Amino acid sequence: MKIRKSNFRCQRGKFSIRGRQYIPEGEKLPIVIVSHEFIMGSFTTRRYARKFAKWGYAAFCYDFVGGTFFGGSGGKHTDMTVFTEIQDLKAVLAYAKSLPETDSERVYLMGCSQGGLVSALLAAQLEDEINGLMLFYPAMSIPDDARAGNMIFNTRFDPKNIPETIQCGPLTFSGEYAASLLDMDVFEEISAYKGPVFIAHGKRDSIVDYSYSVRTQETYSKARCSLLALPKAKHVFLPLQDRPAVSGLKHFLEGRREVLEVDVKLTAIKPRFKGLHNWLTIPFTGHASGDFFEGDILAGAQDVQERRGFRTVRLCADYMLEGTDYTGEKCHIQIRNLDTGTGWKPMVHTDSAALSALNDTECYAFVQQRGLHGPYVRIFAKL
């Protein structure tokens, strides 16, 4: 697919907002706007915009006014608050809707860290105008940090007597940045948005604790909000964490959500050879969890890998889960996950009445390898 890449500029009052747009071939393209982290820039979000464009979306990333180290947009750091960034995002949205190639009725917002908070707050304001919301390590902690007198670079201030400016290492921010957040109940604010939500957050995040995304999911309700927990990820994803997160984005946009996460633990490897043709049988155990089911892998689970020479031609993991579904009923889930070179395709069967839709729907799997320990297997389906 041919993608037209170019810079763009739009205005918010006296300020110029600059960014990068990725427009694939076609008409009436759905819109995705990606908002960056606190004081970072669109250089951290361009990789996501490029992905969206490959999937057929008109994608936009940009620099917040006064909100970057090296950004192309105008303004000083003292011009930036969460609320000015909401206005920046509104201006970019209006620009994106004005283009002849885009469909103003299909709009998605994605935000990282503070950009996630900004995107969630705007989605709550616009409600039905936003078709979907995607949040990577969203900084729902920022109002609590303001009330505690905390900012980056271990900056401390008195929240009862906020100075006119706050010096954070080499950066100077307006005291209004913190003061404007003191009375915000962020979960009450974002709850007005009733559309679908996808969140990805690292459990080792020391800047925004993972518990904030758990509470965010509870605010939106698990029925329409999927939370992807990345066990080893910190704040801002490295490439290995980006892979499952981006896979989750694609499934979300295609209407699927994660129904199971299986933590596989390998127990042995049993090779069998016939000339250059060989098979590896790998027994395993493990635990499955998610919004819909919690349980363990029963004895007898195994992964059979068929190879010709050094080329793997067929992988098949066959196992049974035993546990409880989201209604509290005991049940079993049989999974046969097959890959013949075109990607993993799980076949799922369950005796759970609440999860019976899995018996009739096409499922997809993302396998995150972890060496000899065993992979994480994430299974997605439309429910």
Side-chain angles (χ1 to χ4, degrees):
M1 179 187 295
K2 186 176 180 181
I3 298 172
R4 178 166 51 86
K5 309 167 189 177
S6 59
N7 297 327
F8 74 86
R9 184 175 70 179
C10 60
Q11 291 293 128
R12 174 176 63 84
K14 66 180 181 179
F15 296 110
S16 291
I17 300 170
R18 291 178 172 84
R20 186 81 169 160
Q21 61 189 21
Y22 301 83
I23 311 294
E25 292 179 311
E27 299 178 352
K28 302 291 284 183
L29 299 170
I31 296 166
V32 180
I33 301 176
V34 191
S35 299
H36 66 76
E37 302 88 347
F38 177 81
I39 219 63
M40 296 300 284
S42 58
F43 63 90
T44 67
T45 54
R46 288 185 181 185
R47 65 186 187 274
Y48 301 125
R50 288 192 290 265
K51 286 287 186 183
F52 289 125
K54 288 180 181 178
W55 299 337
Y57 293 77
F60 305 81
C61 55
Y62 63 102
D63 296 324
F64 284 119
V65 170
T68 69
F69 276 121
F70 320 107
S73 298
K76 301 176 181 177
H77 297 321
T78 50
D79 295 318
M80 183 272 293
T81 71
V82 167
F83 297 95
T84 66
E85 292 196 347
I86 293 172
Q87 297 306 312
D88 292 346
L89 177 52
K90 278 185 178 179
V92 175
L93 176 55
Y95 166 79
K97 284 183 172 183
S98 73
L99 299 181
E101 306 96 329
T102 61
D103 183 352
S104 61
E105 300 298 317
R106 290 190 292 164
V107 175
Y108 298 82
L109 301 180
M110 178 185 173
C112 302
S113 194
Q114 181 164 294
L117 171 62
V118 167
S119 298
L121 290 170
L122 182 58
Q125 291 180 18
L126 300 181
E127 299 188 35
D128 294 341
E129 295 180 42
I130 305 302
N131 297 85
L133 181 62
M134 297 161 282
L135 308 174
F136 277 15
Y137 41 93
M140 303 303 178
S141 59
I142 290 177
D144 282 347
D145 291 340
R147 286 185 281 270
N150 295 330
M151 281 188 73
I152 62 169
F153 301 118
N154 293 316
T155 301
R156 299 290 183 268
F157 58 87
D158 181 0
K160 295 181 179 179
N161 186 26
I162 297 175
E164 185 175 337
T165 59
I166 300 173
Q167 192 67 34
C168 300
L171 307 176
T172 303
F173 297 94
S174 168
E176 183 62 18
Y177 174 87
S180 62
L181 297 166
L182 293 178
D183 296 326
M184 177 184 285
D185 181 339
V186 68
F187 299 106
E188 178 65 27
E189 292 281 346
I190 67 173
S191 67
Y193 179 66
K194 304 300 182 185
V197 182
F198 173 75
I199 305 172
H201 203 133
K203 286 194 168 182
R204 294 186 180 179
D205 192 334
S206 60
I207 295 176
V208 179
D209 192 83
Y210 173 75
S211 62
Y212 279 94
S213 279
V214 172
R215 190 172 173 190
T216 299
Q217 185 191 33
E218 293 169 348
T219 298
Y220 287 128
S221 87
K222 291 183 178 180
R224 58 191 176 85
C225 178
S226 179
L227 171 57
L228 174 61
L230 299 173
K232 294 186 177 181
K234 299 181 181 181
H235 203 69
V236 181
F237 297 151
L238 297 175
L240 283 178
Q241 290 109 34
D242 244 3
R243 289 188 63 222
V246 169
S247 176
L249 284 179
K250 193 170 192 297
H251 286 298
F252 172 76
L253 290 170
E254 293 177 352
R256 292 182 289 271
R257 64 174 299 170
E258 184 179 300
V259 294
L260 280 173
E261 179 184 303
V262 187
D263 184 358
V264 173
K265 293 179 171 58
L266 306 182
T267 57
I269 298 178
K270 300 177 181 179
R272 182 163 58 94
F273 298 93
K274 187 177 181 180
L276 291 177
H277 202 172
N278 62 82
W279 295 262
L280 290 179
T281 300
I282 307 174
F284 59 89
T285 62
H287 182 77
S289 59
D291 296 336
F292 302 99
F293 175 87
E294 185 89 19
D296 295 306
I297 298 175
L298 295 180
Q302 62 179 21
D303 177 20
V304 178
Q305 302 183 4
E306 182 181 352
R307 292 186 172 90
R308 290 188 176 93
F310 294 103
R311 186 168 65 91
T312 300
V313 295
R314 187 175 186 271
L315 305 172
C316 184
D318 207 335
Y319 54 103
M320 177 75 78
L321 300 171
E322 182 178 68
T324 56
D325 63 26
Y326 66 93
T327 69
E329 292 295 318
K330 292 182 179 180
C331 65
H332 298 83
I333 300 178
Q334 176 73 42
I335 298 174
R336 190 168 187 265
N337 203 4
L338 183 66
D339 184 359
T340 57
T342 58
W344 289 99
K345 282 284 189 174
M347 292 175 283
V348 179
H349 184 80
T350 180
D351 57 11
S352 164
L355 298 176
S356 60
L358 290 174
N359 296 328
D360 303 312
T361 192
E362 188 175 22
C363 297
Y364 297 81
F366 179 86
V367 178
Q368 183 180 0
Q369 299 293 346
R370 297 179 296 167
L372 294 177
H373 177 80
Y376 276 115
V377 180
R378 293 185 165 92
I379 296 177
F380 297 82
K382 290 183 179 181
L383 288 179

